[in-house]
Each structure stands twice: as C-alpha cells, then as structure tokens.
Amino acid sequence: MLDRPLTVAEVETIDNGFMLPDIDRRILKIRPMATPVDQISRSARPRTTASMEVQYFSVDNRPSSSEVSQIADAENNEFTISFKNKLDGKAFSRTDTVLLTGALAGGKPHTFYVTAAEGRALTAVYIGPDKEYALPADTEGVSTVVRMGRAAAELDVQTPQTTFVPKPDHNFCQIFKAQVENGALLAAGLKKADMSFTDQQEAAIIDMRMGMERNFLFGSRKKMAGPDGNTYFTRGIWDQAAREFIMPASLTGLDFIEMCRQAFTGHGGSARKVLIGGSKCVKNLVSPSKDSTVKQVGSVETEVHWGLNLKVISSNFGTLYVVHSETFDLCGHESDGMIIDPEYLQKYTHIPFSALRLDLKRSGQRNSDAVVLTEASCLVLRYPEAHMRLIGAKA
C-alpha cells in the first residue's frame, strides 16, 4: 500500500474485526473480578461468526501414556500389553518404543519395542535393561506404559502414519439482552442521589455480564422454536473440559503437585493456566494455615492479568493463576473449580456488544429514554484436553 495512510477502513477490508470496538474496552473495566471467565474471553480477540450455530473442530495430541491392565508372556521374548481403556491402543503404533513403569515394572522402568498394535493391546519385544523381563511377584497397584520415540530399521524408508483427526463439535450463540429505561420526569427532577442514565446502563451491564458468566460456565446447549423464532441456549465450558481431578477436602502438598501434573502434562498446553474456583476450593488452595498447600509447595504472590487480581502459585509443572468466582458459589459449586488454558479459550460473536437507543416517546409507548444492550456470543474450548474440572469433596 503506497502513497496513502493506513486507515481503519483499509484494515477492516483486509481483516474484518481487526479493530476492537471501544465499547468492549469499557466493558472490561466494569467489575472484572465478578466475571473472570467473561473478562478473559473479552481480553483476547473474538472470532466473528455469520450464524448463531458455531461449528468448530478441536485436535488433541495423542496420549503420551496409558494405564496397563495386564502383561501376558507370548513367545520369543514378546509380550502382550493390555490396556484398561480400550481406546488407548490408538495412542501407540508399530515401531514405537515404550517404557513400562509402576507395579508391573517391579520397581524399575523397562523398555519394550512395539511390533504390533491392535485394539486394546500391544505386542512388544523386551529391550532392557535386563536380559529378560519377568513379572514381579506383587503386581497390585497402578502400572503405566509411556510412549517414547520410534525406532526404525536400517532399510526402513517409511513408517506408520501419524494422524490427528479433528473432532467436530458445535455450540449455539445465545442472545443476551438488557434494557434500561429512565422516565423523562425522573431525569429532569432533582434527586438526593446522583444516579444518571449512564450509571443505570453501567449497573445493567454488570448484571448482564454476571448472567452471561453463569451461562458461559454452566449453561446447557439447546435450540427451541417459538412464535418469535428460535431461541438459542449456549453450552458452558464446564462440560466441555476433557479432564477431571477429584480434590480431597484437605489438599496436601502432594495432592497439589499431582493436580498440577495432570493439568500441565500430556496435552501440549500452556505453562501458565488460570484456576477459577468457588470459595471453598480457593480456600483449600491458598489457606494461610500451617498445613496449607501453599506452605508446602511455595509462596503466593499477587499479579494483575486481564484486569484481574490473581494469586500466583508456582509448581515444577507450571504456574497457576488463582481467582475466586462468585458464579461457582451461586451455582452450587463452591467446592469445585476449573483450570482453564487461556490460549485455547475461544469466544465466538454473532452480534458484538451493542447499545440500541429506543425512541419510545415518538412511538407513543412511554415518556422515557430507553437503551437495549445486546450481545450474541458463546465460548468454546478449542483443545478440551488442555482444560480440567476440579471436583471438590463434599462434606
């Protein structure tokens, strides 16, 4: 582009929606701590959609490990390794090397070479470190096979294909609305409290965002036909997460480390995630008592990101930004929480947040000023494996 300045209009012709509307920036400043999920989703650039129904695909990485149910001796130093989950066999293929750990490993890791992978079992040749592999006397406990690198022969040119099949899914954009009215006589009269029409709009936006937050977290997806057209209900991200961790009533340092291990490993997600939880969940994490998780794992600092004041807890697996959510308490999840990867939290917008002024005086309906606030949007988790529900133990 030569001999002319770059304008908003020029940018919009190249990429519609590149310039964030000023109204969205103002919304971010209105009580951000009350709506953390909505706050984070608005801080990133939303995707516009031409339809109320959003079609999207998510691609998860292949699992890096699988829990083993049993190992059977075959012949010629070959063994059949069976999985507890029949779907886990798809994570492995011929020419993979795998590492056996846990109870069936007898206290030290053992390496195998996969010669065939079918269904819920692998056929694998023992590699080492011993000359032969023998089942230990005590096999009670968890045993895991970890996928390592491939091992090709000298004359091999090709290798089994690695395929990542996108999983189709969909969600509905829900039309959120709020209407603010101010009578003409009330606007002109003297009042003890200085409550302007703009103040009423701000209060309406707060209430609207809090309702949206509850739908974005715990809403159910449905489309319902009616005399005024279809009504769309959006699906919350709580049910979209693929992982789940059961939190004990009293979280120890080891429990916290295990939670971080599951939240940060095995899916290629970000090293920094946000933990949004109810009051009991957050208290369990950052309680100042001498036996608290924080005292055992590390100190807590406060940082500001996305306009939110966040408690920061670091672990060897990644960093958690912790924030309390009123929505979890109100919706019966005070002991629960959710670890969200902000990089893979995507907002779709069919109707951007807008304010429509209604002329009720000229239409002869009411002698008042009115504004209707509208947004049609939804949230999706692009990589469900990168997010995890925290289920707190109920008393």
Side-chain angles (χ1 to χ4, degrees):
M1 189 180 298
L2 299 175
D3 299 327
R4 55 178 176 171
L6 184 65
T7 63
V8 172
E10 294 286 354
V11 172
E12 294 291 350
T13 59
I14 300 170
D15 188 356
N16 187 29
F18 182 82
M19 302 298 292
L20 290 174
D22 183 59
I23 192 169
D24 224 22
R25 291 197 180 98
R26 296 182 187 179
I27 291 171
L28 287 172
K29 298 178 182 179
I30 299 176
R31 281 196 66 187
M33 295 298 291
T35 54
V37 172
D38 183 57
Q39 184 77 8
I40 294 171
S41 68
R42 287 184 189 277
S43 299
R45 181 184 169 190
R47 290 188 179 183
T48 57
T49 173
S51 171
M52 287 291 289
E53 183 174 355
V54 174
Q55 301 280 349
Y56 64 97
F57 292 87
S58 61
V59 180
D60 290 326
N61 292 336
R62 280 199 300 164
S64 299
S65 62
S66 177
E67 193 171 336
V68 178
S69 61
Q70 66 174 1
I71 296 180
D73 194 353
E75 57 183 13
N76 298 327
N77 207 28
E78 279 191 339
F79 297 85
T80 300
I81 303 174
S82 302
F83 303 117
K84 286 190 174 180
N85 186 350
K86 63 180 181 180
L87 298 177
D88 285 350
K90 297 180 180 180
F92 303 90
S93 59
R94 186 176 58 82
T95 74
D96 279 343
T97 52
V98 295
L99 191 71
L100 175 67
T101 63
L104 290 171
K108 64 179 178 181
H110 293 272
T111 306
F112 292 80
Y113 177 64
V114 180
T115 57
E118 296 179 1
R120 62 189 303 170
L122 302 177
T123 302
V125 178
Y126 181 67
I127 303 300
D130 301 332
K131 289 184 178 181
E132 294 181 351
Y133 168 76
L135 278 171
D138 183 12
T139 59
E140 294 295 326
V142 178
S143 301
T144 305
V145 161
V146 180
R147 177 169 50 82
M148 299 195 292
R150 296 186 185 276
E154 290 183 72
L155 300 181
D156 281 345
V157 175
Q158 298 186 30
T159 184
Q161 298 92 340
T162 301
T163 58
F164 297 93
V165 180
K167 300 176 183 178
D169 206 343
H170 73 283
N171 201 357
F172 293 135
C173 288
Q174 185 167 325
I175 302 175
F176 301 97
K177 281 184 177 288
Q179 183 165 328
V180 185
E181 280 194 50
N182 198 11
L185 293 178
L186 177 64
L190 294 175
K191 297 174 284 293
K192 290 184 178 180
D194 186 14
M195 185 70 177
S196 67
F197 190 49
T198 303
D199 295 329
Q200 291 190 48
Q201 290 185 64
E202 183 173 322
I205 290 173
I206 293 172
D207 185 70
M208 180 178 173
R209 287 189 70 189
M210 292 180 71
M212 294 171 69
E213 180 87 355
R214 294 158 198 165
N215 280 106
F216 286 157
L217 271 167
F218 303 112
S220 297
R221 181 183 63 202
K222 190 173 183 178
K223 180 169 67 173
M224 188 169 62
D228 297 322
N230 292 328
T231 302
Y232 296 86
F233 304 89
T234 193
R235 181 190 183 195
I237 61 174
W238 175 261
D239 291 326
Q240 296 180 38
R243 296 192 173 205
E244 189 170 287
F245 179 79
I246 307 299
M247 289 182 63
S250 181
L251 198 72
T252 66
L254 291 177
D255 294 328
F256 176 78
I257 292 171
E258 175 60 21
M259 181 185 74
C260 290
R261 185 189 72 80
Q262 293 188 30
F264 287 100
T265 62
H267 50 73
S270 307
R272 297 190 176 196
K273 299 190 178 185
V274 181
L275 192 158
I276 300 172
S279 54
K280 291 183 180 179
C281 174
V282 174
K283 180 183 177 182
N284 202 5
L285 282 166
V286 296
S287 171
S289 66
K290 65 178 181 179
D291 297 325
S292 68
T293 298
V294 176
K295 289 291 183 182
Q296 298 179 43
V297 178
S299 61
V300 174
E301 299 176 354
T302 301
E303 295 182 9
V304 178
H305 297 276
W306 307 286
L308 301 170
N309 293 318
L310 305 168
K311 298 291 184 182
V312 184
I313 308 178
S314 298
S315 73
N316 291 334
F317 298 101
T319 302
L320 278 180
Y321 295 116
V322 182
V323 61
H324 167 242
S325 170
E326 299 175 9
T327 299
F328 275 81
D329 289 349
L330 287 170
C331 297
H333 290 271
E334 62 274 3
S335 299
D336 305 332
M338 189 172 185
I339 296 177
I340 298 171
D341 193 330
E343 294 293 326
Y344 303 122
L345 175 66
Q346 182 63 60
K347 181 174 184 177
Y348 284 91
T349 302
H350 180 59
I351 302 174
F353 198 100
S354 58
L356 175 64
R357 188 170 292 275
L358 303 180
D359 195 345
L360 300 181
K361 298 176 184 177
R362 288 191 180 183
S363 63
Q365 296 181 61
R366 283 184 295 277
N367 186 22
S368 63
D369 299 316
V371 170
V372 175
L373 309 171
T374 305
E375 179 176 299
S377 59
C378 65
L379 296 185
V380 302
L381 301 181
R382 283 171 38 221
Y383 293 90
E385 288 283 345
H387 314 267
M388 189 167 73
R389 289 184 297 273
L390 304 179
I391 308 298
K394 301 297 188 293

